[in-house]
Amino acid sequence: MNNGFYKDLDTNFEIAYELLEKNFSHSELIEMLKSGNIPQKQIAALKLDTLLDVNDAKILFSNLTGCDGKIREAVALKINQFLKNKMCPFEFFNFPEIFANASIDINGNICRLCVESATFLSDVKNFSKLYTDRIINFSYEALQELDNFIFKDKKYVINKQLFKLYWCLEAIKYFYVYIDDKVLYEILSKSCLQNEYTIREKVAEILRISGKFPDLYVNLKNDENYYVKFALLNHQ
């Protein structure tokens, strides 16, 4: 790796460290989130202690996708903290499409934080329906891509779709009540056919929690993988 990379890394670290040592007003933090560089946005997200209005929320959410991973992860963490600790009104977080897009981020920590954050809004029907509809679309896209793969396809390409499907199923585990049974069955039955056991394990968790589709339950009860079968143990 070239020296320029390490120089930029060192520079960003130094800037971030200096910013951590400083105190900023709420408006300064929002402005940094709006137009700052990578370390400024990252530190601003971490230092932010509240959202005053929907405009603040829009600026925060604008940094949850389509920017550097360090920013996305800091923003995902902050949103999670706000929701988990009920620090801001729930209506500030009505961004279902952004939530769904971030739920299939390439960074698993961001996926986990965003799916968990979305669950705090699961009783908000409008949000949950829009969020779930997008997750369904992502699930179909991943399954279709996996169906179209051939043996010579590079493994990282396949793994990318499996990763996407895994986090879609994790979201479905909490939002399955917003999915039509026919659609849910199609997604789960196709996911059961995947060779990757973690996908089948997620299906097993959904079957256990929902109590739906006994035929799929029977199939997975006889799965060759212990973790898949273990995920069904509490099935009623």
Side-chain angles (χ1 to χ4, degrees):
M1 206 167 281
N2 61 51
N3 291 332
F5 172 85
Y6 288 112
K7 184 178 180 180
D8 290 343
L9 194 64
D10 289 340
T11 300
N12 284 341
F13 178 82
E14 290 171 4
I15 293 173
Y17 183 79
E18 289 176 3
L19 291 170
L20 274 173
E21 295 295 302
K22 293 182 179 180
N23 293 320
F24 296 94
S25 68
H26 179 83
S27 60
E28 287 174 328
L29 293 174
I30 292 297
E31 184 58 35
M32 285 164 61
L33 276 171
K34 187 176 180 180
S35 57
N37 57 29
I38 291 173
Q40 286 174 331
K41 288 189 173 187
Q42 181 187 19
I43 298 304
L46 294 174
K47 280 181 167 284
L48 198 65
D49 59 6
T50 191
L51 298 172
L52 298 182
D53 52 36
V54 174
N55 186 60
D56 283 357
K58 286 180 179 178
I59 293 171
L60 181 64
F61 272 85
S62 71
N63 290 286
L64 187 55
T65 59
C67 57
D68 184 85
K70 292 185 289 294
I71 300 171
R72 301 196 314 274
E73 190 162 1
V75 170
L77 177 62
K78 182 55 59 173
I79 290 170
N80 186 270
Q81 290 175 347
F82 282 159
L83 282 165
K84 182 179 290 185
N85 297 315
K86 301 179 180 179
M87 297 169 68
C88 308
F90 279 176
E91 55 263 32
F92 287 4
F93 301 90
N94 190 26
F95 299 94
E97 289 194 0
I98 297 177
F99 260 119
N101 292 339
S103 295
I104 56 164
D105 195 280
I106 60 173
N107 181 326
N109 286 334
I110 295 173
C111 299
R112 177 182 56 79
L113 286 165
C114 289
V115 171
E116 182 182 42
S117 295
T119 65
F120 296 114
L121 302 168
S122 62
D123 290 334
V124 182
K125 291 184 179 180
N126 183 57
F127 169 90
S128 296
K129 189 65 173 66
L130 292 172
Y131 174 78
T132 308
D133 284 349
R134 196 156 183 84
I135 291 295
I136 290 169
N137 290 336
F138 290 148
S139 301
Y140 277 131
E141 289 171 5
L143 287 166
Q144 184 175 6
E145 289 293 325
L146 289 167
D147 282 345
N148 292 337
F149 284 140
I150 56 178
F151 182 74
K152 67 179 181 181
D153 282 316
K154 293 182 179 179
K155 189 172 183 180
Y156 80 86
V157 178
I158 298 174
N159 286 343
K160 180 180 178 181
Q161 296 303 322
L162 288 171
F163 184 85
K164 180 178 178 180
L165 180 59
Y166 176 93
W167 287 106
C168 284
L169 291 170
E170 177 68 6
I172 288 171
K173 183 171 72 175
Y174 299 104
F175 289 87
Y176 67 88
V177 295
Y178 293 98
I179 304 176
D180 178 81
D181 275 359
K182 183 178 179 181
V183 173
L184 181 60
Y185 184 87
E186 184 178 10
I187 292 172
L188 297 185
S189 60
K190 288 183 177 181
S191 297
C192 282
L193 300 176
Q194 300 303 317
N195 290 329
E196 173 57 49
Y197 84 88
T198 58
I199 299 297
R200 304 196 306 279
E201 184 181 10
K202 282 295 161 193
V203 174
E205 291 176 1
I206 295 168
L207 295 176
R208 185 193 73 223
I209 293 169
S210 69
K212 294 178 180 287
F213 315 130
D215 59 320
L216 298 182
Y217 167 71
V218 171
N219 288 341
L220 291 186
K221 188 177 181 182
N222 298 315
D223 196 274
E224 62 184 16
N225 185 277
Y226 167 80
Y227 293 103
V228 176
K229 291 185 284 190
F230 182 78
L232 291 168
L233 280 183
N234 295 324
H235 182 80
Q236 300 298 323

